[in-house]
Amino acid sequence: MIIMNTHTIPRRDFISTVSTAAASILMLPLTSLKAEQKKKRVAIVGTGIRALDMWSKDVLKTYPDLVEFVGLCDINPGRVAYFKSATGFTCPKYTDFEKMMQEVKPDTLIVTTVDATHHEFIIRGMELGADIITEKPLTTDEQKCEAILEAEKKTGKKITVTFNYRYSPHRAKIYELLRSGTIGELTSVDFHWYLDTSHGADYFRRWHRLREKSGTLWVHKATHHFDLLNWWIESDPAQVYATGSLDFYGKNNSFRHTNCRPCPHKNSCPFYFDISTNRLLTELYANQEKHDGYLRDGCVWKEDINIYDKMAATIKYENGVQVSYSLTAYSPYEGYRIAFNGTKGRMDVWIEESNPIEEKNYDEIAVSHNFGTREFIRVPHSQSGHGGGDRLLKDSVFGVAISDPLHQAASVRDGALSILVGIAARKSCETGQPIKIADLTSIKPGKKRQFVNG
């Protein structure tokens, strides 16, 4: 690792390559071990955009010797029919989940439904003999979480929670640097996430705007961030105190309508979204409204919006690390700033995912050492989605033989702890009191994180 004095050398001369460990993970091929493994019989429940983009054609194309899709299910018959045609899958389609499970008997069930229903399909899927791959968040409240934990113990089946953020090279490099002790013993973290007025607004158009379906952005969105914190810190969260409010969307406007297409204010509203310009969303959602009434281009000013768009939390970890976290859903740009404070220095990261000041083919980490030295570490971008994490996550999920030196695989316990931080934050907002994680479920937080692979 190169360390130079920033007072004498130009900033752009401070370059360090991605570590051997991270690079080796990125370069691992799909090995001949594929041929030795039996194909997983996979079914999907919830055939929306997430399943289509992440868990369908690319999976079959990349892992043809490992995966066979045997069933598709959605409550909307038009959507599941379009999903089947768009993917070219030949497996049967269903609107009855029980019937699908009984008839096709999958080895693995991928759950990509509305968040608040995850527990139903996870639990019943395990009872009917399937291992589970579930999108985050695991579920939306502590009672459903406990039911999932009990069902996994009872059935002996396995739940994998798909935290792709852990697998991006940039975030993996942060994990390595923290483990290397370059800033000494970690003491506190400042983590601030910004959703812009495009991506952020979209949560207020869709079903996510209702806390009874998404658990609020504390759970649906921030579970990603809390999982990263739990992973980076390598300890369990102990207590959360939080505040939140709805300051921008929802009732905070003088006009509103049901959805964008028939809206009389479309020419003056900066949040007008013309879904007809997106063929995929039109086919998957707008053309299927007649079946269930779901409006994909809902108004961001609707009065039924009951989630927060401004959130802040203080999180205390069992090992003593303290985190200051915030999430803003109406920023002019998208990205995050994070700083790790340690006994020997500080590590800073500033990532802009939309409207970056400068187009770069790398992400940068600044490591400042006590008493004046600083280095900049550049991590090249990957072509895979979500910062390069999607491909590595899928390799892990579908059995490509790779090691896990950075402990990136996420267990049901990891999935539970990530949502429990958000659930605790939501409860704290409602009660005005700090919430202890140990009071929510049977999980007892520990000083040291429990790894999937020991």
Side-chain angles (χ1 to χ4, degrees):
M1 187 172 292
I2 302 171
I3 301 178
M4 300 181 182
N5 191 308
T6 57
H7 296 294
T8 59
I9 303 297
R11 181 176 187 272
R12 293 193 177 279
D13 289 342
F14 299 114
I15 303 174
S16 177
T17 59
V18 181
S19 70
T20 301
S24 63
I25 293 173
L26 287 172
M27 297 173 65
L28 282 168
L30 300 184
T31 73
S32 59
L33 289 178
K34 282 183 176 182
E36 300 174 9
Q37 299 183 30
K38 181 183 176 182
K39 281 188 179 183
K40 289 183 179 179
R41 293 171 49 79
V42 178
I44 298 175
V45 59
T47 56
I49 192 66
R50 184 62 172 166
L52 188 59
D53 280 351
M54 183 75 175
W55 299 112
S56 60
K57 290 189 293 184
D58 177 72
V59 169
L60 192 59
K61 177 182 177 181
T62 308
Y63 313 101
D65 299 323
L66 299 176
V67 175
E68 175 188 5
F69 284 95
V70 296
L72 304 171
C73 183
D74 197 286
I75 59 173
N76 186 309
R79 186 170 302 125
V80 71
Y82 175 74
F83 188 100
K84 182 176 178 178
S85 66
T87 58
F89 288 177
T90 58
C91 60
K93 63 184 188 296
Y94 298 85
T95 56
D96 185 322
F97 176 70
E98 289 279 334
K99 184 178 180 182
M100 178 183 76
M101 295 298 291
Q102 296 285 359
E103 289 186 358
V104 306
K105 296 179 172 56
D107 303 314
T108 301
L109 174 69
I110 298 177
V111 178
T112 49
T113 60
V114 170
D115 297 349
T117 65
H118 281 187
H119 69 294
E120 299 174 19
F121 300 108
I122 291 172
I123 293 171
R124 189 61 181 144
M126 290 191 294
E127 290 174 345
L128 293 172
D131 289 323
I132 305 296
I133 297 171
T134 182
E135 269 295 336
K136 62 82 191 166
L138 181 65
T139 187
T140 54
D141 65 42
E142 65 271 37
Q143 291 83 15
K144 295 173 182 176
C145 181
E146 184 65 26
I148 290 171
L149 296 173
E150 289 300 318
E152 189 189 46
K153 292 177 185 177
K154 181 179 178 180
T155 63
K157 306 309 291 185
K158 178 185 177 183
I159 302 173
T160 300
V161 186
T162 55
F163 286 119
N164 46 11
Y165 275 18
R166 290 186 181 193
Y167 288 85
S168 73
H170 170 250
R171 295 168 188 125
K173 184 63 178 176
I174 292 173
Y175 179 90
E176 287 185 278
L177 290 169
L178 291 171
R179 302 289 78 75
S180 74
T182 188
I183 62 169
E185 182 181 349
L186 183 64
T187 58
S188 66
V189 184
D190 307 309
F191 193 8
H192 306 290
W193 201 285
Y194 312 98
L195 291 169
D196 65 20
T197 47
S198 174
H199 185 199
D202 220 32
Y203 290 112
F204 295 82
R205 291 190 181 99
R206 299 177 286 169
W207 54 263
H208 307 74
R209 76 185 188 278
L210 303 173
R211 70 170 54 201
E212 56 268 29
K213 292 190 175 183
S214 68
T216 75
L217 293 181
W218 276 125
V219 176
H220 175 80
K221 181 62 179 176
T223 184
H224 259 322
H225 313 151
F226 299 144
D227 177 69
L228 282 174
L229 286 167
N230 297 347
W231 175 57
W232 280 327
I233 294 170
E234 281 200 346
S235 183
D236 292 341
Q239 182 174 283
V240 182
Y241 175 75
T243 58
S245 57
L246 181 63
D247 288 354
F248 187 81
Y249 300 104
K251 298 179 181 179
N252 296 291
N253 196 50
S254 60
F255 63 81
R256 57 194 41 84
H257 202 66
T258 54
N259 60 309
C260 285
R261 275 163 290 160
C263 182
H265 309 287
K266 65 176 63 177
N267 293 326
S268 58
C269 180
F271 289 92
Y272 170 65
F273 169 53
D274 186 359
I275 194 172
S276 67
T277 63
N278 187 312
R279 181 176 177 275
L280 178 59
L281 295 183
T282 298
E283 294 281 2
L284 198 58
Y285 295 106
N287 291 352
Q288 314 311 331
E289 289 171 4
K290 57 182 176 289
H291 299 291
D292 59 10
Y294 174 58
L295 301 173
R296 175 59 180 80
D297 62 340
C299 180
V300 301
W301 312 120
K302 290 184 75 170
E303 293 188 347
D304 66 350
I305 293 173
N306 58 4
I307 63 173
Y308 308 111
D309 56 22
K310 182 184 74 176
M311 293 147 278
T314 298
I315 309 164
K316 180 180 178 182
Y317 279 76
E318 288 288 345
N319 66 355
V321 171
Q322 183 165 306
V323 173
S324 174
Y325 171 85
S326 70
L327 173 61
T328 304
Y330 46 88
S331 172
Y333 61 85
E334 179 128 345
Y336 60 92
R337 297 188 182 193
I338 187 165
F340 300 87
N341 302 296
T343 56
K344 294 182 180 179
R346 174 181 168 102
M347 182 160 55
D348 288 275
V349 177
W350 180 13
I351 301 295
E352 285 197 48
E353 296 179 339
S354 68
N355 302 319
I357 295 174
E358 178 184 1
E359 293 290 342
K360 300 179 294 187
N361 63 355
Y362 60 87
D363 291 322
E364 195 167 64
I365 303 169
V367 179
S368 303
H369 302 277
N370 289 349
F371 309 108
T373 60
R374 177 178 295 176
E375 60 180 324
F376 292 88
I377 300 165
R378 292 180 180 177
V379 183
H381 288 167
S382 170
Q383 296 304 309
S384 176
H386 287 91
D390 285 355
R391 174 61 58 231
L392 297 175
L393 168 66
K394 291 175 186 177
D395 283 353
S396 174
V397 166
F398 292 111
V400 175
I402 62 173
S403 60
D404 189 18
L406 305 185
H407 303 295
Q408 289 161 298
S411 68
V412 69
R413 189 177 192 275
D414 294 324
L417 284 169
S418 70
I419 62 167
L420 290 176
V421 177
I423 291 166
R426 188 180 67 214
K427 285 180 168 292
S428 183
C429 289
E430 295 166 351
T431 64
Q433 300 297 316
I435 304 297
K436 292 182 178 180
I437 299 296
D439 292 342
L440 299 176
T441 66
S442 59
I443 291 178
K444 300 308 174 188
K447 189 175 181 179
K448 184 69 174 176
R449 179 193 161 213
Q450 296 180 17
F451 298 120
V452 173
N453 55 3

Coordinates of all heavy atoms in Angstrom, one line a residue, residues 84-134:
K84 N -43.4 -14.4 -18.8 CA -43.1 -15.6 -19.5 C -42.7 -15.4 -20.9 O -41.7 -15.9 -21.4 CB -44.2 -16.6 -19.4 CG -43.9 -18.0 -20.1 CD -45.0 -19.0 -19.9 CE -44.7 -20.3 -20.6 NZ -45.7 -21.3 -20.4
S85 N -43.4 -14.5 -21.6 CA -43.1 -14.2 -23.0 C -41.8 -13.4 -23.1 O -41.1 -13.7 -24.0 CB -44.3 -13.5 -23.7 OG -44.5 -12.2 -23.1
A86 N -41.6 -12.5 -22.2 CA -40.4 -11.6 -22.3 C -39.1 -12.4 -22.0 O -38.1 -12.1 -22.5 CB -40.5 -10.5 -21.3
T87 N -39.2 -13.4 -21.2 CA -38.1 -14.2 -20.8 C -37.8 -15.4 -21.8 O -36.7 -15.9 -21.9 CB -38.2 -14.8 -19.4 OG1 -39.4 -15.6 -19.3 CG2 -38.2 -13.7 -18.4
G88 N -38.9 -15.8 -22.5 CA -38.8 -17.0 -23.3 C -38.8 -18.3 -22.5 O -38.6 -19.4 -23.1
F89 N -39.2 -18.2 -21.3 CA -39.2 -19.4 -20.4 C -40.4 -20.4 -20.9 O -41.4 -19.9 -21.4 CB -39.5 -19.1 -19.0 CG -38.3 -18.5 -18.3 CD1 -38.4 -18.1 -16.9 CD2 -37.1 -18.3 -18.9 CE1 -37.3 -17.5 -16.3 CE2 -36.0 -17.8 -18.2 CZ -36.1 -17.4 -16.9
T90 N -40.1 -21.6 -20.8 CA -41.1 -22.6 -21.3 C -41.9 -23.2 -20.1 O -42.8 -24.1 -20.3 CB -40.5 -23.7 -22.1 OG1 -39.5 -24.4 -21.3 CG2 -39.9 -23.2 -23.4
C91 N -41.5 -22.9 -18.9 CA -42.2 -23.5 -17.7 C -43.6 -23.0 -17.5 O -44.0 -21.9 -18.1 CB -41.4 -23.2 -16.5 SG -41.2 -21.4 -16.1
P92 N -44.4 -23.7 -16.8 CA -45.8 -23.2 -16.6 C -45.9 -22.0 -15.7 O -45.0 -21.7 -14.9 CB -46.5 -24.4 -15.9 CG -45.3 -25.2 -15.2 CD -44.2 -25.0 -16.2
K93 N -47.0 -21.3 -15.9 CA -47.3 -20.0 -15.1 C -48.5 -20.3 -14.3 O -49.4 -21.0 -14.7 CB -47.4 -18.8 -16.1 CG -48.6 -18.9 -17.0 CD -48.6 -17.7 -17.9 CE -49.9 -17.6 -18.8 NZ -50.0 -18.8 -19.7
Y94 N -48.5 -19.6 -13.1 CA -49.6 -19.8 -12.2 C -50.0 -18.4 -11.5 O -49.2 -17.5 -11.4 CB -49.2 -20.7 -11.0 CG -48.8 -22.1 -11.4 CD1 -47.5 -22.4 -11.9 CD2 -49.7 -23.1 -11.3 CE1 -47.1 -23.6 -12.3 CE2 -49.3 -24.4 -11.7 CZ -48.0 -24.7 -12.2 OH -47.6 -26.0 -12.5
T95 N -51.3 -18.4 -11.1 CA -51.7 -17.3 -10.2 C -52.0 -17.9 -8.8 O -52.3 -17.2 -7.8 CB -53.0 -16.6 -10.7 OG1 -54.0 -17.6 -10.9 CG2 -52.7 -15.9 -12.0
D96 N -51.9 -19.2 -8.6 CA -52.2 -19.9 -7.4 C -50.8 -20.5 -6.9 O -50.3 -21.4 -7.5 CB -53.2 -21.1 -7.6 CG -53.6 -21.8 -6.3 OD1 -52.7 -22.0 -5.5 OD2 -54.8 -22.2 -6.2
F97 N -50.3 -19.9 -5.8 CA -49.0 -20.3 -5.3 C -49.0 -21.7 -4.8 O -48.0 -22.5 -5.1 CB -48.6 -19.4 -4.2 CG -47.3 -19.7 -3.5 CD1 -46.1 -19.6 -4.2 CD2 -47.3 -20.2 -2.2 CE1 -44.9 -19.9 -3.6 CE2 -46.1 -20.6 -1.6 CZ -44.9 -20.4 -2.3
E98 N -50.0 -22.1 -4.1 CA -50.0 -23.5 -3.6 C -50.0 -24.5 -4.7 O -49.3 -25.6 -4.7 CB -51.3 -23.7 -2.7 CG -51.2 -23.0 -1.4 CD -50.4 -23.7 -0.3 OE1 -50.3 -25.0 -0.4 OE2 -49.9 -23.1 0.6
K99 N -50.8 -24.2 -5.7 CA -50.9 -25.1 -6.9 C -49.5 -25.3 -7.6 O -49.1 -26.4 -7.9 CB -51.9 -24.7 -7.9 CG -52.1 -25.6 -9.1 CD -53.2 -25.1 -10.0 CE -53.4 -26.0 -11.1 NZ -54.5 -25.5 -12.1
M100 N -48.8 -24.1 -7.7 CA -47.5 -24.2 -8.4 C -46.5 -25.1 -7.5 O -45.9 -25.9 -8.1 CB -46.9 -22.8 -8.5 CG -45.5 -22.8 -9.1 SD -44.7 -21.2 -9.2 CE -44.2 -20.9 -7.5
M101 N -46.5 -24.8 -6.2 CA -45.6 -25.6 -5.4 C -45.8 -27.0 -5.4 O -44.9 -27.9 -5.4 CB -45.6 -25.0 -4.0 CG -45.1 -23.6 -3.9 SD -43.4 -23.3 -4.4 CE -42.5 -24.2 -3.1
Q102 N -47.1 -27.4 -5.4 CA -47.5 -28.8 -5.3 C -47.2 -29.5 -6.6 O -46.8 -30.7 -6.7 CB -49.0 -28.9 -5.0 CG -49.4 -28.4 -3.6 CD -49.0 -29.4 -2.5 OE1 -48.4 -30.4 -2.7 NE2 -49.2 -29.0 -1.3
E103 N -47.4 -28.8 -7.8 CA -47.2 -29.4 -9.1 C -45.8 -29.5 -9.6 O -45.3 -30.5 -10.1 CB -48.1 -28.7 -10.1 CG -49.6 -28.9 -9.9 CD -50.4 -28.3 -11.0 OE1 -49.9 -27.6 -11.9 OE2 -51.7 -28.5 -11.0
V104 N -45.0 -28.4 -9.3 CA -43.7 -28.4 -9.9 C -42.6 -28.7 -8.9 O -41.5 -29.1 -9.3 CB -43.3 -27.0 -10.5 CG1 -44.4 -26.6 -11.6 CG2 -43.2 -25.9 -9.5
K105 N -42.9 -28.7 -7.6 CA -42.0 -29.1 -6.5 C -40.6 -28.6 -6.7 O -39.6 -29.3 -6.9 CB -42.0 -30.6 -6.4 CG -43.3 -31.2 -6.0 CD -43.3 -32.7 -6.0 CE -44.5 -33.3 -5.4 NZ -45.8 -32.9 -6.1
P106 N -40.4 -27.2 -6.7 CA -39.0 -26.7 -6.9 C -38.1 -27.0 -5.8 O -38.5 -27.1 -4.6 CB -39.3 -25.2 -7.0 CG -40.5 -25.0 -6.1 CD -41.4 -26.2 -6.4
D107 N -36.8 -27.1 -6.1 CA -35.8 -27.2 -5.0 C -35.6 -25.8 -4.4 O -35.3 -25.7 -3.2 CB -34.4 -27.6 -5.7 CG -34.5 -28.9 -6.4 OD1 -35.1 -29.8 -5.9 OD2 -34.0 -28.9 -7.6
T108 N -35.7 -24.7 -5.2 CA -35.5 -23.4 -4.7 C -36.6 -22.5 -5.2 O -37.0 -22.5 -6.3 CB -34.1 -22.8 -5.3 OG1 -33.1 -23.7 -4.9 CG2 -33.8 -21.4 -4.8
L109 N -37.0 -21.6 -4.3 CA -38.1 -20.6 -4.6 C -37.5 -19.2 -4.4 O -36.9 -18.9 -3.4 CB -39.2 -20.8 -3.6 CG -40.3 -19.7 -3.7 CD1 -41.1 -19.8 -5.0 CD2 -41.3 -19.7 -2.5
I110 N -37.6 -18.4 -5.5 CA -37.1 -17.0 -5.4 C -38.3 -16.2 -5.1 O -39.4 -16.2 -5.8 CB -36.5 -16.6 -6.8 CG1 -35.3 -17.4 -7.1 CG2 -36.2 -15.1 -6.7 CD1 -34.6 -17.1 -8.4
V111 N -38.2 -15.4 -4.0 CA -39.3 -14.5 -3.6 C -39.1 -13.1 -3.9 O -38.1 -12.5 -3.4 CB -39.5 -14.7 -2.0 CG1 -40.7 -13.8 -1.6 CG2 -39.8 -16.2 -1.7
T112 N -39.9 -12.5 -4.8 CA -39.7 -11.1 -5.2 C -41.1 -10.4 -5.2 O -41.4 -9.7 -6.2 CB -39.1 -11.0 -6.6 OG1 -39.7 -11.9 -7.5 CG2 -37.6 -11.4 -6.5
T113 N -41.9 -10.7 -4.2 CA -43.2 -10.1 -4.1 C -43.1 -8.8 -3.3 O -42.1 -8.3 -2.9 CB -44.1 -11.1 -3.4 OG1 -43.6 -11.3 -2.1 CG2 -44.3 -12.4 -4.1
V114 N -44.3 -8.2 -3.1 CA -44.4 -7.0 -2.2 C -43.8 -7.4 -0.8 O -44.0 -8.4 -0.3 CB -45.8 -6.5 -2.1 CG1 -46.0 -5.5 -1.0 CG2 -46.3 -6.0 -3.4
D115 N -43.0 -6.5 -0.3 CA -42.2 -6.7 1.0 C -43.1 -7.4 2.1 O -42.6 -8.3 2.8 CB -41.6 -5.5 1.5 CG -40.6 -4.9 0.6 OD1 -40.2 -5.5 -0.4 OD2 -40.2 -3.7 0.8
A116 N -44.2 -6.8 2.3 CA -45.1 -7.2 3.4 C -45.6 -8.7 3.3 O -46.1 -9.2 4.3 CB -46.2 -6.3 3.6
T117 N -45.5 -9.2 2.1 CA -45.9 -10.6 1.9 C -44.8 -11.6 1.8 O -45.0 -12.8 1.7 CB -46.7 -10.7 0.6 OG1 -45.9 -10.5 -0.6 CG2 -47.9 -9.8 0.5
H118 N -43.5 -11.2 1.9 CA -42.4 -12.1 1.8 C -42.5 -13.2 2.8 O -42.2 -14.4 2.4 CB -41.1 -11.3 2.2 CG -40.6 -10.5 1.0 ND1 -39.4 -9.8 1.0 CD2 -41.1 -10.2 -0.2 CE1 -39.2 -9.2 -0.1 NE2 -40.2 -9.4 -0.9
H119 N -42.9 -12.9 4.0 CA -43.0 -14.0 5.1 C -43.9 -15.1 4.7 O -43.6 -16.3 4.9 CB -43.4 -13.4 6.4 CG -44.8 -12.9 6.4 ND1 -45.3 -11.9 5.7 CD2 -45.9 -13.4 7.2 CE1 -46.6 -11.7 5.9 NE2 -47.0 -12.7 6.8
E120 N -45.0 -14.8 4.0 CA -46.0 -15.8 3.6 C -45.4 -16.8 2.7 O -45.5 -18.1 2.9 CB -47.2 -15.2 2.9 CG -48.0 -14.2 3.7 CD -49.0 -13.5 2.9 OE1 -49.4 -14.0 1.8 OE2 -49.5 -12.4 3.3
F121 N -44.7 -16.3 1.7 CA -44.1 -17.2 0.7 C -42.8 -17.9 1.1 O -42.5 -19.0 0.8 CB -43.9 -16.4 -0.6 CG -45.1 -15.9 -1.2 CD1 -45.4 -14.5 -1.1 CD2 -46.1 -16.7 -1.7 CE1 -46.6 -14.0 -1.6 CE2 -47.3 -16.2 -2.2 CZ -47.5 -14.8 -2.2
I122 N -42.0 -17.2 2.0 CA -40.8 -17.8 2.5 C -41.2 -19.0 3.4 O -40.7 -20.1 3.3 CB -40.0 -16.8 3.3 CG1 -39.4 -15.7 2.4 CG2 -38.9 -17.4 4.2 CD1 -38.8 -14.5 3.1
I123 N -42.1 -18.8 4.3 CA -42.5 -19.8 5.3 C -43.2 -21.0 4.6 O -42.8 -22.1 4.8 CB -43.4 -19.2 6.4 CG1 -42.6 -18.2 7.2 CG2 -44.0 -20.3 7.2 CD1 -43.5 -17.4 8.2
R124 N -44.2 -20.7 3.7 CA -44.9 -21.7 3.1 C -44.0 -22.5 2.1 O -44.1 -23.7 1.9 CB -46.1 -21.2 2.4 CG -47.1 -22.3 1.8 CD -47.6 -23.1 2.9 NE -48.5 -24.2 2.4 CZ -48.5 -25.4 2.9 NH1 -47.8 -25.8 3.9 NH2 -49.4 -26.3 2.4
G125 N -43.1 -21.7 1.4 CA -42.2 -22.3 0.5 C -41.3 -23.4 1.2 O -41.1 -24.5 0.7
M126 N -40.8 -23.0 2.4 CA -40.0 -24.0 3.1 C -40.8 -25.2 3.6 O -40.3 -26.3 3.6 CB -39.3 -23.3 4.3 CG -38.3 -22.3 3.9 SD -37.3 -21.7 5.3 CE -38.5 -20.7 6.3
E127 N -42.0 -24.9 4.0 CA -42.9 -26.0 4.5 C -43.2 -27.0 3.3 O -43.3 -28.2 3.6 CB -44.2 -25.5 5.0 CG -44.1 -24.7 6.3 CD -45.4 -24.1 6.8 OE1 -46.3 -23.9 5.9 OE2 -45.4 -23.6 7.9
L128 N -43.1 -26.5 2.1 CA -43.4 -27.3 0.9 C -42.1 -27.9 0.3 O -42.1 -28.4 -0.8 CB -44.2 -26.6 -0.1 CG -45.7 -26.3 0.4 CD1 -46.3 -25.3 -0.6 CD2 -46.5 -27.5 0.5
G129 N -41.0 -27.7 1.0 CA -39.8 -28.4 0.7 C -38.7 -27.6 -0.1 O -37.7 -28.2 -0.6
A130 N -38.9 -26.3 -0.2 CA -37.9 -25.5 -1.0 C -37.0 -24.7 -0.1 O -37.4 -24.2 0.9 CB -38.7 -24.6 -2.0
D131 N -35.7 -24.6 -0.6 CA -34.9 -23.6 -0.1 C -35.3 -22.2 -0.6 O -36.0 -22.2 -1.7 CB -33.4 -23.8 -0.4 CG -32.8 -25.0 0.3 OD1 -33.1 -25.2 1.5 OD2 -32.0 -25.8 -0.3
I132 N -34.9 -21.1 0.0 CA -35.5 -19.8 -0.3 C -34.3 -18.9 -0.7 O -33.3 -18.8 0.0 CB -36.3 -19.2 0.8 CG1 -37.4 -20.1 1.3 CG2 -36.8 -17.8 0.4 CD1 -38.5 -20.4 0.2
I133 N -34.5 -18.2 -1.8 CA -33.7 -17.0 -2.2 C -34.7 -15.8 -2.1 O -35.7 -15.8 -2.9 CB -33.1 -17.1 -3.6 CG1 -32.2 -18.3 -3.7 CG2 -32.4 -15.8 -4.0 CD1 -31.7 -18.6 -5.1
T134 N -34.5 -14.9 -1.2 CA -35.4 -13.8 -1.1 C -34.7 -12.4 -1.3 O -33.6 -12.2 -0.9 CB -36.1 -13.8 0.3 OG1 -37.1 -12.7 0.3 CG2 -35.2 -13.6 1.4

